[in-house]
Every structure is written in C-alpha cells, then in structure tokens.
Amino acid sequence: MKYIFKLVFIFITTIVIAQKPQRGDGPRAVAVITGQVIEAETNIPLEYATVSFSNQKGKVVAGGITDPKGNYKIEVPAGVYDVKFEFISFKSKILKGQKLSKNTKLPKQLLEIDSATLDEVIVRAETTEVQVRLDKKIYNIGKDLTTSGATVSDALSNVPSVSVDVDGAISLRGNENVRILINGKPSAIAGFGSVDALSQLPADAIERVEVITSPSARYDAEGTAGILNIILRKEKTLGLNGSIQANIGDPWQYGLNTNLNLRKDKFNLFTTLGYSRRNSPGNSESENEFFTEDVDGNFENTLNISERREFDRQRGGFNGNFGIEFYLSYKTSLTASSFIRIGDNDSGTDNFTDDFDANNQLIESRVRLERENQEDFTFQHALNYITKFNEDGHELTGVLQYSEDEGTELSTITEEITSPTITALPTEDIIELEDQKEFLAQIDYMLPIGENAQFEVGYRGNIQETVTDYELLEEDVAGGVFVRDAGLSNVFTYEEDVHAIYTQYGNKFGKFSVLAGLRYEYTRQQGSVDADLDDSALGTLSFDNETDGLFPTLNFTYEIGERENITLGYNRRINRPRGRFINPFPSRSSEANIFQGNPDLIPSFASAYDLGYIKRWKKLTLTSSIYYQYETDSFERIQEDTGEFTSNGVPIVRTIPINLSTNERYGAELAVLYNPKKWLRLNVSANAFLFETDGAFNGTDFGTSNFSFFTRGSAKVTLPYKIDWQTNIFYRGPRNNAQTETEGFLFTNLALSKDILNEKGTLGLTVRDIFNSSKRRSLTETDRFISDSEFQFRVRSVNLTFTYRFNQKKQRQRSNRNGGGGDGGDDFEG
C-alpha cells in the first residue's frame, strides 16, 4: 500500500489553519472533532485517509489525516461545515451542513472502493505495487530491498517489462529505443536522454516508475519502444520530516543521501541531497580473426588478434534537488525547483594485445593504457503552475524549464610494444568539451465533461543545442612534440527544435472506457561542423532537416468483472536521430575501433498495437499482454572494415548507424503477483519477443530474424525476529542481429533488511550479482573478420546501508484487496 500512502501525501489538500482572533473581538470558540474512517468491504481501519472541513463558501478551513487505527482528532473554529472523507481509489463521502460548536464525535465513516474510476485498476503486492491505467502501468519500487543503496539504473532493472544490459543500456520489451522522462518531462536529471546519468543518481530518490507501452497523446511521440517516466519523491506531510541514508560497500563505495521536507500552511519546502563515490571494476576479452581477399575472390585468414582489457571506473559526485511549493490559494499553487549535479569521474583501461599470424605465431605484443578524467556540471531550473478549478479534475497546468550541462573529458593514451622488443609508441591526448542547453515550455488544460468524460488539450516546445569540441593531439614521434590531428579534430554543433500540440478525450460507457487522442509534432534538426578539412571524404558535414507528422493514439478498456479487465491500445511513434548518431566525425574507443555518425539518417516511424488482460483472485494477480510493432527506416548499428590500417598494421573497423527499411516486432509478456502466506511474497514475470529486420547497406544484406526473451523472479520472505529476506533473479535469453550472436546471462541479487530503533531505523545488506555471472558473450561474423568476445561491465558487489527516519512513520501495508495484496502488518520503508 506504499504507493497509495505516497499519493495521499502528495494530494492532501487540507491545511490546518490557526485562526487568530481579530483586534477588538473576543476569543473564537474551537471545537475538537473526532471519529474513525474504515474500509467498508473488510472493516479495516484506513490509515492516512484525509478529513477536511469546508465552510459555506467552499474554502477548506481545517483538516488532517487518520492514524494507524483510522482515528482522527482535529480542532476547528466553531461553525457550520461540510466534512469530506477521502482516500485514493475509494469513493469520497461528505457530511453536509454539520453544525460544530462544541467537541463532537462524528459517526464512523465506511469508504467503499471506487470501481467506476474512468481508467484505473489497482493491483497491490508486497514486493511490487501496480496501478494499471488505460495508457500505462505504474510501479512503486520503494519496498524492493535490493534497491537499498543502489542507483536509479539498478532500480529500473527490477521493473517488469524493463531490462538493463550488462553495459547499462536500458530496454523496454527488448527495444532500446525507449524515451526516459523525469516527472513527465525531458530533464537534465536523466542526462538529456543519456542513461549514464541514471547510474549516478540514488534509487532512494524515486517514488515510482511509470511504464508507458501505449502512450496517450499527452506524452512525447519520441521513443518507438515507449516511455519510462520516473517520478521523484516530494512529500507533503505536515511539519518537518525526512530520512537519511548512508551506505558503504565492496568494491569500495560509499554514499550519503537525505530527503527533507517542511510543510507549512502556505508553502512546502522539499529537498533531496546526495553524495557518493564508487569504484566499478570490469573486464573484457576478445579473439579477432581477420581475412584478406585474394585475386580469386577467396578470403584467407592472415591475422589474429587477442585482446584483454581491465577497466577501473571511479564515479563520484554530488546531487541536489531543491524546491518550494507556494499555495497561492486553495485552488492554485506555484512550485519553483532547481536541480544540480556535480560529477567527477576517473577511469582507467589497461589493454593487453597480442598479434598472431595465420599459423598462430606471435608477431607482436602491446600494452595500451587509457586514463580519463570527466567532470560534469549540470543544473536545471523549473517553474510549475497549477490551478485546480474544482476537485473533479478541472485544472490548468504550466511548466517553464531551463537545463544546461557542461562536460569536460580529458584522456591520455600511452602505448608501447612489449615483444619482440620494448618500443614506446607516440602518446595521444584527447580533449572533449561538451555544452548542452535545453529550454522547455508546456501548458495543459483538462476539463471534465459530465460524470465520466474528460477533455484535454496542450502544447509542449523543446529547444536544444549541443556543442561538442573534440580535439586529438598526437606526438609526432614517441617523446616528441604534440601535433593536432586535423583529420579528426572538429567542433560539431547540433540544434533540435520540437513543437507539439495535442488533444485527447476520454469517456466511460458502463463497463467500456475509451481514451482517444491526436498529437502533432514539428521537428527541425540542424548540424554543422567546424573543421580544418574543406572537402572532406566523410561526406555531408552540415545539414538542416525538417520533419512533421500526426501521431494518433487510441486506448480501450473493457471490465469483464470487478476483478477482470481487457485493454487494447494503438499508437504511432517516432525515433529521431540525435547528436552522436549524426556527427560525421569518428570517435575512437581504441585505435582500431571507431564509431562514426551518419548525417544522412532520417527519423524512423513506428505503429504499435497492444492487447492486455488482467485477472485478480484473492491472493494472486495475473497481468498479460501481446503486442506488435511495425517500424520503417529503423536504425541499426553495423560494423564494417574501413580498408585502413593503424600505424601497426591493424585493420580499422568502423561502427556506423544506418536506416534499415523495416523492423517488425512481435511479443508477449506475463506477470504474476502471488502472496500465498503472510511471510511469503512472490513476483514472477516473463517477456518473449521476435524481431525481424529487412535492409541492406553498401551491398551487404543486413536482414535478420531474432527471437529472444527475458524473465525475472522475486521472492520476499519474513524471517524470525522480523528480518526480511529478498532474492531477485533475472535471466536474459540469447539474441542476435544481422552480424552478432549474443549468449544469455543470469543476474541474481540478494538482500536482507532489519528494523531497529523502534522502527525509526533500518539496516540493509545487499549483494548484487551474487554469482558474478552478468557477462555479455557475443560472436560477430563478417566476410572480413570474426570477433569472439566476453564483456563484464561490473563485478559482484556487496553493500551495507543504514536508513534513519525522523518525524516520519514507517508505513504499514494493510490487508489484501482485489487479490494482489499483502496480508497486513508487514512493514516497509516510508
């Protein structure tokens, strides 16, 4: 029930107002009002239900929330009031015209579950809470013990439908083209779309994650896989409250995070602060065979290269989120917030390479050392406005947001031949400066029509600019002077403007609900390169592209019964090529491996269909869906031999993104939440999909068919002495594209948690990747080379955390309803 409690805090509208006597008047009488709120179906007290007192003008004069036994005790000035009782997902009750001139105990109030909500069905479980709506599923991850002391990226790996690869790439239903939003908007907090930033933010900052596989017209059309919307914590409990969390682990890591909130009558102050440093060692190995074409057109093995890499990444920095919400009136509020991130990352890569001839005789051994320092400074300022004209959903919201990210990356690469003789090679220095700016403006208007219908219209504008200054300096000879490489040094400026308007309408007809919308988006993408080369062989160096389109959405729900639903969704999406994918100048991960953008990339468009089914029993909940997507001009990264060689005679391989003609995706997913005993909670999900691509590049056919799947399971057990034990298991099956086959891998986490200090504190122990098995093993085959590799992004880690809460109760899960819930009395972190 944590998700519901959080929403109650966020949407509490009652404010206790201390009435001061006016000069010349006598003291005004105060009445103490008591009572109890319980759930009608189970006769169980409703904790955190809201009780508000409105005067005859409709203004909320006083209010409060119920305690764990459903009781309330509220002081109000003597007068006549309408008393309203509310709890999320329950039908509200109002006692009208109550004359309260003395201490009064009101009748016990029984609230019933609101089964007539337009687009919402609630499913509850101890390890995962799910709210299923017409266009999305909402997961509260707060009770997942394995996220204690973890990052946002780690937390996402435990969300159904989502998978995180060994190198941190985030996928939704196996598709990496997923749009990541923070609080419903593009944000610098998410790193301007880069998942790297998510690996540096604490998971404790998350309130919930919205998995939007069939986005309504309200959301960006960007992201053919769908949208992950990360909602950050912002408490609204009266008074000063918060929590502090400290963690330490091995490989060495430590951090300190705090959430603070101060709620007064006219404003709400909130902040999340965090500092952390962590070491993330990794490793990789690869065996590469190169082939040369003879005069008869046959390919013969001429060179074999064995590589072993050891990574040592040290990431650290400070994150701060500050905000204040002003209550201009009981209808209108204005929120100003700022986010800041200061990052200081150091990494080192030791690359050991052996070259062999066709007879497997050693030709040469080399050691290449790469040392990199990256400093980032990110800030974001936002202003949010909301007016709620009434409590039925009639509201106007507006957002202004400015973000900027300044990054400096300094790399030094030294290399020497260690066999047959020791020979130093020229050193390289790489200086990369990147400045990203983004301005966002958004306005949304929602108008209820009748009892079950709602109309919505809105606008969003995004203006972005990214300037990347890349400079490569090389020694002319080992130990000599550094010379600028004019062939690779450049300044790339990328600008993207996206303007969108949308409208949508939702209604409920008996057991049938519909949400239909239409979104129009206009995009202008401009790129220019400032380089020493006037006539580059790289092709087009500047571009100015415009794209627009209509993006319809349609979502249906049919209620077979109170515990059974069918959903059907359709939406059209777009995938825009971005800076790195269209920057024509190559960047190097090693001397023999380069990545080069393709300025000729055009946006891809996809149409997606989703059919879902949900069924709830007393202790078990089943959610499932089948889906299909057809994408045109889809992106694919391919590798090819450039025909060029390093100074040591090693062939240079290029990775480049291209537009394939079509990409079809078929899939099915299934999730089961089962609570057979009070001490045992189980959560199992699986996702299987088939990708079929069709397309060619430079005369090579890259069409392929790929079937893969991933599955996860979570078991949470309450041991003696109130110790919670949770195990999460994730397995991703084998997969392939036109050139590469990748083996499956297993990932297992273990966590223990124990409350101390009268439940004000919690100790947690987490072991991530307990079997040290999260490794990507892949085989790439082309006519020119074969590469067999293994890559481990991060080794097994152990983390110990301590959380302390002040003026903040640890919320309690109430009894199971609608078949998915816990059994009552089980604690979880608030």
Side-chain angles (χ1 to χ4, degrees), residues 482-541:
F482 283 90
V483 178
R484 185 174 186 268
D485 188 329
L488 291 178
S489 299
N490 69 96
V491 178
F492 178 60
T493 301
Y494 173 70
E495 299 178 33
E496 179 181 283
D497 299 344
V498 180
H499 298 276
I501 56 174
Y502 79 93
T503 184
Q504 64 182 19
Y505 174 79
N507 206 341
K508 180 177 176 63
F509 310 94
K511 295 185 176 182
F512 186 78
S513 301
V514 61
L515 182 64
L518 183 65
R519 187 179 185 92
Y520 169 80
E521 290 194 354
Y522 164 82
T523 305
R524 183 176 184 181
Q525 295 176 300
Q526 302 175 77
S528 61
V529 175
D530 181 7
D532 292 343
L533 301 181
D534 295 328
D535 185 14
S536 174
L538 296 172
T540 304
L541 294 182

Side-chain angles (χ1 to χ4, degrees), residues 548-568:
D548 67 346
L550 292 173
F551 301 92
T553 64
L554 193 60
N555 291 284
F556 300 94
T557 293
Y558 178 73
E559 298 178 8
I560 300 174
E562 186 177 350
R563 297 170 177 249
E564 192 173 13
N565 295 73
I566 293 177
T567 61
L568 177 64

